Amino acid sequence: MKYLKTRINKIIIAVLFCILPAGGLTACKGPAAPPAETNTQIPSESAAAEAAGTQENFSPEYPALTPERENSPTSDVSSENLPYDSETIIEEQSFSGMDLGDYRNVRFTTSLVTRDGQSHIRYSLVSGEETAYTFPDAYSSWHFEDTINFITFHDINGDGKKDVITSEQYTTGAGSEDARIFSMVRIYLNQGKEFLFAEGLSISIGNSLEVSDGDAYTAENVLSVLSEPAYCNFDGTDGWTKGEIESFAFLVKEDVLTDDKESLSRKVRYPLHIVRDGSERQINSPEEFLENYDLILNLQVIYDVEGSETEGLFWNQNGVMLGTGAVWFGKTEDGTVKITAIPAEVQYCNPLNVD
């Protein structure tokens, strides 16, 4: 997706040479964003006790997995001392006995990988002696700067599954005098068997923090940005959070791009009213959605979703809009985020005139 890569590059360049303003999009008037929740299970009691000082008072969400800056677990692991194309597990940032998605009692491992003299971080789930899952690569073109800001596990979109959120420090390749250290965030959304890297959302979180200040990149600060009410729902409450809305938009787009019809059908609030070919139809269940998928997801809708951004979205009293209006969604009565409308008449770009 060239449009996304181009946008990412522009954002990263801006990060390196500009001081980004603190704070994210806050559209709703109401109480300040609540502190991030602290009810996530941590990997091990010993890690929690070490970070918090006592078993009784530690926060199971953070800073249990946030290393002290002066005792960075990777401070004595230098890529210069590693052979070409090597991988070294960072024990201090690897956690046993984890239950993540469909993976039970696995070890979450953090590895320092070097390729062509450049180092970056790789995350994996290991069962016994076998690697059960390797998380999608991220920021591999940037040089890892020997510091992991934090690793934490938190359900950011309310689907009942723990997502993985990490932050690392990187350095530019501008030379020893001009090189700048900056931080990036990775958000991996838990889909059971796989974890999707929400690249746009991850970078937008970075835009809400001071990238040159590693101390600002804590689990608490990142989760606070994700949990701030950034989208109004016009029902008198504080609003929908950035994390739940923008992660949902990312997953809807991912379903359309991968043609995952069943996954998309589970994201709809029924009955779904649509108008196609001048006639109104009512879709009452996921089964009916699948039967009428090609009618519902016509080319107008598909093109519009494929070209859409998934952060900083437009919203009004109808909900939150994806693309130029192909999909509308918002929180429903039971507190979940669902697609509420899929209009057909939208503006989309089809420069190749593909049928």
Side-chain angles (χ1 to χ4, degrees), residues 7-8 10-16 18-25 139 183-185 199-211 217 222 225 228 242 246 311-312:
R7 180 172 180 272
I8 290 169
K10 289 181 180 179
I11 293 174
I12 292 177
I13 292 172
V15 163
L16 299 180
C18 301
I19 297 178
L20 297 172
L25 169 66
Y139 314 132
S183 294
M184 302 292 283
V185 173
E199 193 167 22
L201 179 58
S202 299
I203 292 175
S204 75
I205 295 301
N207 289 342
S208 301
L209 301 171
E210 174 51 65
V211 297
Y217 278 75
V222 169
V225 174
E228 68 182 9
K242 183 179 182 70
E246 296 186 8
E311 56 277 343

PDB file of all heavy atoms in Angstrom, residues 7-8 10-16 18-25 139 183-185 199-211 217 222 225 228 242 246 311-312:
ATOM      1  N   ARG A   7       2.980   8.083   3.416  1.00  0.00           N
ATOM      2  CA  ARG A   7       2.550   8.891   4.553  1.00  0.00           C
ATOM      3  C   ARG A   7       3.407   8.617   5.768  1.00  0.00           C
ATOM      4  O   ARG A   7       3.778   9.529   6.509  1.00  0.00           O
ATOM      5  CB  ARG A   7       1.081   8.588   4.865  1.00  0.00           C
ATOM      6  CG  ARG A   7       0.552   9.387   6.053  1.00  0.00           C
ATOM      7  CD  ARG A   7      -0.949   9.205   6.200  1.00  0.00           C
ATOM      8  NE  ARG A   7      -1.427   9.964   7.331  1.00  0.00           N
ATOM      9  CZ  ARG A   7      -1.473   9.492   8.572  1.00  0.00           C
ATOM     10  NH1 ARG A   7      -1.051   8.266   8.810  1.00  0.00           N
ATOM     11  NH2 ARG A   7      -1.946  10.231   9.559  1.00  0.00           N
ATOM     12  N   ILE A   8       3.755   7.360   5.988  1.00  0.00           N
ATOM     13  CA  ILE A   8       4.589   6.995   7.126  1.00  0.00           C
ATOM     14  C   ILE A   8       5.950   7.659   7.026  1.00  0.00           C
ATOM     15  O   ILE A   8       6.479   8.203   7.992  1.00  0.00           O
ATOM     16  CB  ILE A   8       4.736   5.459   7.208  1.00  0.00           C
ATOM     17  CG1 ILE A   8       3.402   4.837   7.618  1.00  0.00           C
ATOM     18  CG2 ILE A   8       5.823   5.059   8.211  1.00  0.00           C
ATOM     19  CD1 ILE A   8       3.365   3.358   7.485  1.00  0.00           C
ATOM     20  N   LYS A  10       6.730  10.381   5.512  1.00  0.00           N
ATOM     21  CA  LYS A  10       6.598  11.805   5.777  1.00  0.00           C
ATOM     22  C   LYS A  10       6.496  12.067   7.271  1.00  0.00           C
ATOM     23  O   LYS A  10       7.063  13.013   7.800  1.00  0.00           O
ATOM     24  CB  LYS A  10       5.363  12.353   5.068  1.00  0.00           C
ATOM     25  CG  LYS A  10       5.514  12.423   3.554  1.00  0.00           C
ATOM     26  CD  LYS A  10       4.261  12.995   2.918  1.00  0.00           C
ATOM     27  CE  LYS A  10       4.410  13.077   1.401  1.00  0.00           C
ATOM     28  NZ  LYS A  10       3.179  13.602   0.768  1.00  0.00           N
ATOM     29  N   ILE A  11       5.730  11.221   7.961  1.00  0.00           N
ATOM     30  CA  ILE A  11       5.559  11.394   9.401  1.00  0.00           C
ATOM     31  C   ILE A  11       6.887  11.211  10.117  1.00  0.00           C
ATOM     32  O   ILE A  11       7.252  11.988  10.999  1.00  0.00           O
ATOM     33  CB  ILE A  11       4.516  10.405   9.948  1.00  0.00           C
ATOM     34  CG1 ILE A  11       3.126  10.758   9.405  1.00  0.00           C
ATOM     35  CG2 ILE A  11       4.493  10.416  11.474  1.00  0.00           C
ATOM     36  CD1 ILE A  11       2.064   9.768   9.773  1.00  0.00           C
ATOM     37  N   ILE A  12       7.638  10.161   9.736  1.00  0.00           N
ATOM     38  CA  ILE A  12       8.897   9.877  10.401  1.00  0.00           C
ATOM     39  C   ILE A  12       9.894  11.008  10.172  1.00  0.00           C
ATOM     40  O   ILE A  12      10.620  11.420  11.069  1.00  0.00           O
ATOM     41  CB  ILE A  12       9.468   8.533   9.916  1.00  0.00           C
ATOM     42  CG1 ILE A  12       8.564   7.378  10.409  1.00  0.00           C
ATOM     43  CG2 ILE A  12      10.880   8.327  10.433  1.00  0.00           C
ATOM     44  CD1 ILE A  12       8.994   6.033   9.938  1.00  0.00           C
ATOM     45  N   ILE A  13       9.932  11.523   8.958  1.00  0.00           N
ATOM     46  CA  ILE A  13      10.827  12.641   8.679  1.00  0.00           C
ATOM     47  C   ILE A  13      10.462  13.846   9.538  1.00  0.00           C
ATOM     48  O   ILE A  13      11.303  14.537  10.096  1.00  0.00           O
ATOM     49  CB  ILE A  13      10.779  13.012   7.177  1.00  0.00           C
ATOM     50  CG1 ILE A  13      11.408  11.866   6.354  1.00  0.00           C
ATOM     51  CG2 ILE A  13      11.510  14.323   6.917  1.00  0.00           C
ATOM     52  CD1 ILE A  13      11.238  12.045   4.875  1.00  0.00           C
ATOM     53  N   ALA A  14       9.153  14.083   9.659  1.00  0.00           N
ATOM     54  CA  ALA A  14       8.710  15.193  10.499  1.00  0.00           C
ATOM     55  C   ALA A  14       9.095  14.966  11.945  1.00  0.00           C
ATOM     56  O   ALA A  14       9.447  15.898  12.667  1.00  0.00           O
ATOM     57  CB  ALA A  14       7.197  15.373  10.369  1.00  0.00           C
ATOM     58  N   VAL A  15       9.024  13.722  12.374  1.00  0.00           N
ATOM     59  CA  VAL A  15       9.400  13.379  13.741  1.00  0.00           C
ATOM     60  C   VAL A  15      10.851  13.716  14.020  1.00  0.00           C
ATOM     61  O   VAL A  15      11.212  14.210  15.077  1.00  0.00           O
ATOM     62  CB  VAL A  15       9.151  11.866  13.993  1.00  0.00           C
ATOM     63  CG1 VAL A  15       9.905  11.393  15.215  1.00  0.00           C
ATOM     64  CG2 VAL A  15       7.668  11.603  14.168  1.00  0.00           C
ATOM     65  N   LEU A  16      11.715  13.445  13.047  1.00  0.00           N
ATOM     66  CA  LEU A  16      13.140  13.603  13.260  1.00  0.00           C
ATOM     67  C   LEU A  16      13.571  15.058  13.317  1.00  0.00           C
ATOM     68  O   LEU A  16      14.542  15.398  13.971  1.00  0.00           O
ATOM     69  CB  LEU A  16      13.911  12.877  12.141  1.00  0.00           C
ATOM     70  CG  LEU A  16      13.668  11.368  12.065  1.00  0.00           C
ATOM     71  CD1 LEU A  16      14.471  10.773  10.932  1.00  0.00           C
ATOM     72  CD2 LEU A  16      14.024  10.699  13.365  1.00  0.00           C
ATOM     73  N   CYS A  18      11.317  17.915  13.687  1.00  0.00           N
ATOM     74  CA  CYS A  18      10.377  18.859  14.276  1.00  0.00           C
ATOM     75  C   CYS A  18      10.098  18.454  15.713  1.00  0.00           C
ATOM     76  O   CYS A  18      10.229  17.302  16.079  1.00  0.00           O
ATOM     77  CB  CYS A  18       9.054  18.893  13.498  1.00  0.00           C
ATOM     78  SG  CYS A  18       9.243  19.362  11.776  1.00  0.00           S
ATOM     79  N   ILE A  19       9.662  19.378  16.482  1.00  0.00           N
ATOM     80  CA  ILE A  19       9.184  19.078  17.836  1.00  0.00           C
ATOM     81  C   ILE A  19       7.687  18.968  17.749  1.00  0.00           C
ATOM     82  O   ILE A  19       6.991  19.934  17.472  1.00  0.00           O
ATOM     83  CB  ILE A  19       9.588  20.177  18.828  1.00  0.00           C
ATOM     84  CG1 ILE A  19      11.113  20.253  18.916  1.00  0.00           C
ATOM     85  CG2 ILE A  19       8.970  19.914  20.197  1.00  0.00           C
ATOM     86  CD1 ILE A  19      11.592  21.346  19.838  1.00  0.00           C
ATOM     87  N   LEU A  20       7.187  17.776  17.977  1.00  0.00           N
ATOM     88  CA  LEU A  20       5.766  17.544  17.801  1.00  0.00           C
ATOM     89  C   LEU A  20       4.998  18.022  19.011  1.00  0.00           C
ATOM     90  O   LEU A  20       5.453  17.884  20.146  1.00  0.00           O
ATOM     91  CB  LEU A  20       5.537  16.037  17.602  1.00  0.00           C
ATOM     92  CG  LEU A  20       6.203  15.491  16.348  1.00  0.00           C
ATOM     93  CD1 LEU A  20       6.092  13.980  16.351  1.00  0.00           C
ATOM     94  CD2 LEU A  20       5.571  16.060  15.108  1.00  0.00           C
ATOM     95  N   PRO A  21       3.822  18.590  18.814  1.00  0.00           N
ATOM     96  CA  PRO A  21       3.039  19.086  19.950  1.00  0.00           C
ATOM     97  C   PRO A  21       2.524  17.943  20.789  1.00  0.00           C
ATOM     98  O   PRO A  21       2.223  16.872  20.279  1.00  0.00           O
ATOM     99  CB  PRO A  21       1.891  19.835  19.273  1.00  0.00           C
ATOM    100  CG  PRO A  21       1.767  19.199  17.933  1.00  0.00           C
ATOM    101  CD  PRO A  21       3.161  18.811  17.532  1.00  0.00           C
ATOM    102  N   ALA A  22       2.457  18.187  22.074  1.00  0.00           N
ATOM    103  CA  ALA A  22       1.930  17.153  22.969  1.00  0.00           C
ATOM    104  C   ALA A  22       0.418  17.136  22.880  1.00  0.00           C
ATOM    105  O   ALA A  22      -0.220  18.118  22.555  1.00  0.00           O
ATOM    106  CB  ALA A  22       2.361  17.442  24.413  1.00  0.00           C
ATOM    107  N   GLY A  23      -0.127  15.949  23.188  1.00  0.00           N
ATOM    108  CA  GLY A  23      -1.584  15.816  23.214  1.00  0.00           C
ATOM    109  C   GLY A  23      -2.120  15.364  21.892  1.00  0.00           C
ATOM    110  O   GLY A  23      -1.576  15.658  20.848  1.00  0.00           O
ATOM    111  N   GLY A  24      -3.208  14.611  21.916  1.00  0.00           N
ATOM    112  CA  GLY A  24      -3.807  14.099  20.690  1.00  0.00           C
ATOM    113  C   GLY A  24      -5.117  14.791  20.410  1.00  0.00           C
ATOM    114  O   GLY A  24      -5.505  15.748  21.061  1.00  0.00           O
ATOM    115  N   LEU A  25      -5.824  14.313  19.409  1.00  0.00           N
ATOM    116  CA  LEU A  25      -7.123  14.855  19.043  1.00  0.00           C
ATOM    117  C   LEU A  25      -8.112  14.632  20.178  1.00  0.00           C
ATOM    118  O   LEU A  25      -8.330  13.524  20.621  1.00  0.00           O
ATOM    119  CB  LEU A  25      -7.622  14.153  17.783  1.00  0.00           C
ATOM    120  CG  LEU A  25      -9.066  14.414  17.405  1.00  0.00           C
ATOM    121  CD1 LEU A  25      -9.224  15.883  17.030  1.00  0.00           C
ATOM    122  CD2 LEU A  25      -9.469  13.517  16.249  1.00  0.00           C
ATOM    123  N   TYR A 139       9.603  -1.093  11.585  1.00  0.00           N
ATOM    124  CA  TYR A 139      10.691  -0.114  11.657  1.00  0.00           C
ATOM    125  C   TYR A 139      12.066  -0.749  11.419  1.00  0.00           C
ATOM    126  O   TYR A 139      13.062  -0.311  11.996  1.00  0.00           O
ATOM    127  CB  TYR A 139      10.678   0.595  13.016  1.00  0.00           C
ATOM    128  CG  TYR A 139       9.321   1.064  13.461  1.00  0.00           C
ATOM    129  CD1 TYR A 139       8.863   0.810  14.752  1.00  0.00           C
ATOM    130  CD2 TYR A 139       8.474   1.760  12.592  1.00  0.00           C
ATOM    131  CE1 TYR A 139       7.614   1.247  15.170  1.00  0.00           C
ATOM    132  CE2 TYR A 139       7.222   2.187  13.000  1.00  0.00           C
ATOM    133  CZ  TYR A 139       6.795   1.927  14.287  1.00  0.00           C
ATOM    134  OH  TYR A 139       5.561   2.349  14.696  1.00  0.00           O
ATOM    135  N   SER A 183      11.895   7.808  19.727  1.00  0.00           N
ATOM    136  CA  SER A 183      11.146   6.634  20.153  1.00  0.00           C
ATOM    137  C   SER A 183       9.994   6.353  19.204  1.00  0.00           C
ATOM    138  O   SER A 183       9.415   7.274  18.624  1.00  0.00           O
ATOM    139  CB  SER A 183      10.606   6.815  21.575  1.00  0.00           C
ATOM    140  OG  SER A 183      11.651   6.884  22.522  1.00  0.00           O
ATOM    141  N   MET A 184       9.649   5.086  19.067  1.00  0.00           N
ATOM    142  CA  MET A 184       8.517   4.647  18.266  1.00  0.00           C
ATOM    143  C   MET A 184       7.681   3.678  19.094  1.00  0.00           C
ATOM    144  O   MET A 184       8.174   3.048  20.025  1.00  0.00           O
ATOM    145  CB  MET A 184       8.968   3.963  16.971  1.00  0.00           C
ATOM    146  CG  MET A 184       9.836   4.826  16.070  1.00  0.00           C
ATOM    147  SD  MET A 184       8.946   6.211  15.337  1.00  0.00           S
ATOM    148  CE  MET A 184       8.031   5.375  14.034  1.00  0.00           C
ATOM    149  N   VAL A 185       6.418   3.567  18.741  1.00  0.00           N
ATOM    150  CA  VAL A 185       5.491   2.659  19.423  1.00  0.00           C
ATOM    151  C   VAL A 185       5.029   1.588  18.444  1.00  0.00           C
ATOM    152  O   VAL A 185       4.805   1.877  17.267  1.00  0.00           O
ATOM    153  CB  VAL A 185       4.273   3.434  19.967  1.00  0.00           C
ATOM    154  CG1 VAL A 185       3.218   2.482  20.517  1.00  0.00           C
ATOM    155  CG2 VAL A 185       4.709   4.422  21.045  1.00  0.00           C
ATOM    156  N   GLU A 199      -0.020  -0.080  12.106  1.00  0.00           N
ATOM    157  CA  GLU A 199       1.073   0.855  11.852  1.00  0.00           C
ATOM    158  C   GLU A 199       0.630   2.314  11.976  1.00  0.00           C
ATOM    159  O   GLU A 199       1.285   3.127  12.631  1.00  0.00           O
ATOM    160  CB  GLU A 199       1.651   0.589  10.456  1.00  0.00           C
ATOM    161  CG  GLU A 199       2.970   1.271  10.188  1.00  0.00           C
ATOM    162  CD  GLU A 199       3.632   0.729   8.933  1.00  0.00           C
ATOM    163  OE1 GLU A 199       2.922   0.156   8.072  1.00  0.00           O
ATOM    164  OE2 GLU A 199       4.853   0.882   8.811  1.00  0.00           O
ATOM    165  N   GLY A 200      -0.486   2.661  11.332  1.00  0.00           N
ATOM    166  CA  GLY A 200      -0.946   4.037  11.386  1.00  0.00           C
ATOM    167  C   GLY A 200      -1.262   4.488  12.801  1.00  0.00           C
ATOM    168  O   GLY A 200      -0.891   5.585  13.220  1.00  0.00           O
ATOM    169  N   LEU A 201      -1.971   3.642  13.553  1.00  0.00           N
ATOM    170  CA  LEU A 201      -2.309   3.964  14.927  1.00  0.00           C
ATOM    171  C   LEU A 201      -1.045   4.074  15.774  1.00  0.00           C
ATOM    172  O   LEU A 201      -0.931   4.965  16.623  1.00  0.00           O
ATOM    173  CB  LEU A 201      -3.246   2.900  15.502  1.00  0.00           C
ATOM    174  CG  LEU A 201      -3.675   3.077  16.962  1.00  0.00           C
ATOM    175  CD1 LEU A 201      -4.380   4.412  17.165  1.00  0.00           C
ATOM    176  CD2 LEU A 201      -4.587   1.922  17.385  1.00  0.00           C
ATOM    177  N   SER A 202      -0.088   3.184  15.547  1.00  0.00           N
ATOM    178  CA  SER A 202       1.162   3.222  16.307  1.00  0.00           C
ATOM    179  C   SER A 202       1.888   4.543  16.097  1.00  0.00           C
ATOM    180  O   SER A 202       2.381   5.167  17.048  1.00  0.00           O
ATOM    181  CB  SER A 202       2.065   2.053  15.882  1.00  0.00           C
ATOM    182  OG  SER A 202       1.450   0.807  16.125  1.00  0.00           O
ATOM    183  N   ILE A 203       1.950   4.991  14.858  1.00  0.00           N
ATOM    184  CA  ILE A 203       2.659   6.235  14.553  1.00  0.00           C
ATOM    185  C   ILE A 203       1.891   7.446  15.070  1.00  0.00           C
ATOM    186  O   ILE A 203       2.476   8.420  15.552  1.00  0.00           O
ATOM    187  CB  ILE A 203       2.923   6.343  13.045  1.00  0.00           C
ATOM    188  CG1 ILE A 203       3.935   5.272  12.622  1.00  0.00           C
ATOM    189  CG2 ILE A 203       3.433   7.723  12.662  1.00  0.00           C
ATOM    190  CD1 ILE A 203       4.188   5.210  11.149  1.00  0.00           C
ATOM    191  N   SER A 204       0.561   7.401  15.007  1.00  0.00           N
ATOM    192  CA  SER A 204      -0.220   8.533  15.501  1.00  0.00           C
ATOM    193  C   SER A 204      -0.055   8.702  17.002  1.00  0.00           C
ATOM    194  O   SER A 204      -0.113   9.822  17.516  1.00  0.00           O
ATOM    195  CB  SER A 204      -1.704   8.367  15.143  1.00  0.00           C
ATOM    196  OG  SER A 204      -2.333   7.408  15.967  1.00  0.00           O
ATOM    197  N   ILE A 205       0.176   7.613  17.713  1.00  0.00           N
ATOM    198  CA  ILE A 205       0.451   7.720  19.142  1.00  0.00           C
ATOM    199  C   ILE A 205       1.763   8.468  19.348  1.00  0.00           C
ATOM    200  O   ILE A 205       1.895   9.315  20.242  1.00  0.00           O
ATOM    201  CB  ILE A 205       0.525   6.328  19.794  1.00  0.00           C
ATOM    202  CG1 ILE A 205      -0.831   5.630  19.718  1.00  0.00           C
ATOM    203  CG2 ILE A 205       0.978   6.433  21.256  1.00  0.00           C
ATOM    204  CD1 ILE A 205      -1.951   6.363  20.388  1.00  0.00           C
ATOM    205  N   GLY A 206       2.744   8.183  18.513  1.00  0.00           N
ATOM    206  CA  GLY A 206       4.015   8.892  18.592  1.00  0.00           C
ATOM    207  C   GLY A 206       3.856  10.379  18.369  1.00  0.00           C
ATOM    208  O   GLY A 206       4.581  11.195  18.954  1.00  0.00           O
ATOM    209  N   ASN A 207       2.895  10.769  17.539  1.00  0.00           N
ATOM    210  CA  ASN A 207       2.643  12.186  17.298  1.00  0.00           C
ATOM    211  C   ASN A 207       2.070  12.880  18.526  1.00  0.00           C
ATOM    212  O   ASN A 207       2.026  14.111  18.586  1.00  0.00           O
ATOM    213  CB  ASN A 207       1.670  12.359  16.129  1.00  0.00           C
ATOM    214  CG  ASN A 207       2.309  12.006  14.807  1.00  0.00           C
ATOM    215  OD1 ASN A 207       3.524  11.959  14.688  1.00  0.00           O
ATOM    216  ND2 ASN A 207       1.490  11.751  13.809  1.00  0.00           N
ATOM    217  N   SER A 208       1.598  12.100  19.488  1.00  0.00           N
ATOM    218  CA  SER A 208       1.003  12.675  20.689  1.00  0.00           C
ATOM    219  C   SER A 208       2.000  12.818  21.826  1.00  0.00           C
ATOM    220  O   SER A 208       1.670  13.346  22.876  1.00  0.00           O
ATOM    221  CB  SER A 208      -0.170  11.798  21.150  1.00  0.00           C
ATOM    222  OG  SER A 208      -1.151  11.693  20.147  1.00  0.00           O
ATOM    223  N   LEU A 209       3.234  12.314  21.623  1.00  0.00           N
ATOM    224  CA  LEU A 209       4.260  12.362  22.654  1.00  0.00           C
ATOM    225  C   LEU A 209       5.501  13.061  22.115  1.00  0.00           C
ATOM    226  O   LEU A 209       5.653  13.206  20.897  1.00  0.00           O
ATOM    227  CB  LEU A 209       4.608  10.943  23.136  1.00  0.00           C
ATOM    228  CG  LEU A 209       3.456  10.124  23.718  1.00  0.00           C
ATOM    229  CD1 LEU A 209       3.900   8.682  23.935  1.00  0.00           C
ATOM    230  CD2 LEU A 209       2.969  10.729  25.027  1.00  0.00           C
ATOM    231  N   GLU A 210       6.397  13.464  23.000  1.00  0.00           N
ATOM    232  CA  GLU A 210       7.645  14.091  22.590  1.00  0.00           C
ATOM    233  C   GLU A 210       8.631  12.995  22.195  1.00  0.00           C
ATOM    234  O   GLU A 210       9.163  12.283  23.047  1.00  0.00           O
ATOM    235  CB  GLU A 210       8.215  14.940  23.742  1.00  0.00           C
ATOM    236  CG  GLU A 210       9.592  15.514  23.474  1.00  0.00           C
ATOM    237  CD  GLU A 210       9.659  16.248  22.151  1.00  0.00           C
ATOM    238  OE1 GLU A 210       8.977  17.273  22.001  1.00  0.00           O
ATOM    239  OE2 GLU A 210      10.370  15.765  21.258  1.00  0.00           O
ATOM    240  N   VAL A 211       8.865  12.861  20.895  1.00  0.00           N
ATOM    241  CA  VAL A 211       9.614  11.708  20.400  1.00  0.00           C
ATOM    242  C   VAL A 211      11.061  11.681  20.857  1.00  0.00           C
ATOM    243  O   VAL A 211      11.671  10.618  20.928  1.00  0.00           O
ATOM    244  CB  VAL A 211       9.573  11.668  18.857  1.00  0.00           C
ATOM    245  CG1 VAL A 211       8.154  11.482  18.372  1.00  0.00           C
ATOM    246  CG2 VAL A 211      10.187  12.921  18.256  1.00  0.00           C
ATOM    247  N   TYR A 217       7.929   8.087  26.872  1.00  0.00           N
ATOM    248  CA  TYR A 217       7.385   6.867  26.277  1.00  0.00           C
ATOM    249  C   TYR A 217       7.303   5.778  27.331  1.00  0.00           C
ATOM    250  O   TYR A 217       8.103   4.850  27.377  1.00  0.00           O
ATOM    251  CB  TYR A 217       8.242   6.432  25.086  1.00  0.00           C
ATOM    252  CG  TYR A 217       7.891   7.182  23.831  1.00  0.00           C
ATOM    253  CD1 TYR A 217       8.284   8.502  23.667  1.00  0.00           C
ATOM    254  CD2 TYR A 217       7.144   6.596  22.826  1.00  0.00           C
ATOM    255  CE1 TYR A 217       7.952   9.209  22.527  1.00  0.00           C
ATOM    256  CE2 TYR A 217       6.798   7.290  21.684  1.00  0.00           C
ATOM    257  CZ  TYR A 217       7.209   8.597  21.539  1.00  0.00           C
ATOM    258  OH  TYR A 217       6.866   9.302  20.423  1.00  0.00           O
ATOM    259  N   VAL A 222       1.326   6.095  27.016  1.00  0.00           N
ATOM    260  CA  VAL A 222       0.772   5.599  25.753  1.00  0.00           C
ATOM    261  C   VAL A 222      -0.663   5.126  25.945  1.00  0.00           C
ATOM    262  O   VAL A 222      -1.561   5.445  25.156  1.00  0.00           O
ATOM    263  CB  VAL A 222       1.651   4.468  25.188  1.00  0.00           C
ATOM    264  CG1 VAL A 222       0.947   3.760  24.026  1.00  0.00           C
ATOM    265  CG2 VAL A 222       2.992   5.023  24.722  1.00  0.00           C
ATOM    266  N   VAL A 225      -3.078   8.018  26.196  1.00  0.00           N
ATOM    267  CA  VAL A 225      -3.461   8.578  24.902  1.00  0.00           C
ATOM    268  C   VAL A 225      -4.505   7.696  24.227  1.00  0.00           C
ATOM    269  O   VAL A 225      -5.497   8.175  23.672  1.00  0.00           O
ATOM    270  CB  VAL A 225      -2.230   8.742  23.987  1.00  0.00           C
ATOM    271  CG1 VAL A 225      -2.656   9.185  22.581  1.00  0.00           C
ATOM    272  CG2 VAL A 225      -1.256   9.754  24.573  1.00  0.00           C
ATOM    273  N   GLU A 228      -8.025   8.186  25.836  1.00  0.00           N
ATOM    274  CA  GLU A 228      -8.661   9.500  25.934  1.00  0.00           C
ATOM    275  C   GLU A 228      -9.907   9.557  25.046  1.00  0.00           C
ATOM    276  O   GLU A 228      -9.942   8.969  23.968  1.00  0.00           O
ATOM    277  CB  GLU A 228      -7.679  10.607  25.546  1.00  0.00           C
ATOM    278  CG  GLU A 228      -7.295  10.613  24.079  1.00  0.00           C
ATOM    279  CD  GLU A 228      -6.289  11.702  23.746  1.00  0.00           C
ATOM    280  OE1 GLU A 228      -5.772  12.339  24.683  1.00  0.00           O
ATOM    281  OE2 GLU A 228      -6.021  11.898  22.552  1.00  0.00           O
ATOM    282  N   LYS A 242      -9.745   6.941  21.505  1.00  0.00           N
ATOM    283  CA  LYS A 242      -8.906   6.843  20.318  1.00  0.00           C
ATOM    284  C   LYS A 242      -8.534   5.384  20.040  1.00  0.00           C
ATOM    285  O   LYS A 242      -8.566   4.929  18.895  1.00  0.00           O
ATOM    286  CB  LYS A 242      -7.640   7.667  20.539  1.00  0.00           C
ATOM    287  CG  LYS A 242      -6.677   7.716  19.343  1.00  0.00           C
ATOM    288  CD  LYS A 242      -5.478   8.577  19.680  1.00  0.00           C
ATOM    289  CE  LYS A 242      -4.540   8.691  18.500  1.00  0.00           C
ATOM    290  NZ  LYS A 242      -5.117   9.501  17.407  1.00  0.00           N
ATOM    291  N   GLU A 246     -10.002   3.816  16.540  1.00  0.00           N
ATOM    292  CA  GLU A 246      -9.030   3.721  15.456  1.00  0.00           C
ATOM    293  C   GLU A 246      -8.514   2.298  15.260  1.00  0.00           C
ATOM    294  O   GLU A 246      -8.139   1.926  14.148  1.00  0.00           O
ATOM    295  CB  GLU A 246      -7.901   4.716  15.700  1.00  0.00           C
ATOM    296  CG  GLU A 246      -8.414   6.154  15.652  1.00  0.00           C
ATOM    297  CD  GLU A 246      -7.332   7.209  15.733  1.00  0.00           C
ATOM    298  OE1 GLU A 246      -6.140   6.857  15.675  1.00  0.00           O
ATOM    299  OE2 GLU A 246      -7.694   8.404  15.855  1.00  0.00           O
ATOM    300  N   GLU A 311      -6.884   6.821  11.128  1.00  0.00           N
ATOM    301  CA  GLU A 311      -6.697   7.618  12.334  1.00  0.00           C
ATOM    302  C   GLU A 311      -7.083   9.066  12.038  1.00  0.00           C
ATOM    303  O   GLU A 311      -7.086   9.501  10.901  1.00  0.00           O
ATOM    304  CB  GLU A 311      -5.258   7.535  12.859  1.00  0.00           C
ATOM    305  CG  GLU A 311      -4.190   7.932  11.872  1.00  0.00           C
ATOM    306  CD  GLU A 311      -3.789   6.813  10.929  1.00  0.00           C
ATOM    307  OE1 GLU A 311      -4.095   5.650  11.227  1.00  0.00           O
ATOM    308  OE2 GLU A 311      -3.189   7.128   9.890  1.00  0.00           O
ATOM    309  N   GLY A 312      -7.431   9.792  13.094  1.00  0.00           N
ATOM    310  CA  GLY A 312      -7.895  11.160  12.910  1.00  0.00           C
ATOM    311  C   GLY A 312      -9.154  11.225  12.074  1.00  0.00           C
ATOM    312  O   GLY A 312      -9.295  12.062  11.186  1.00  0.00           O
TER     313      GLY A 312
END
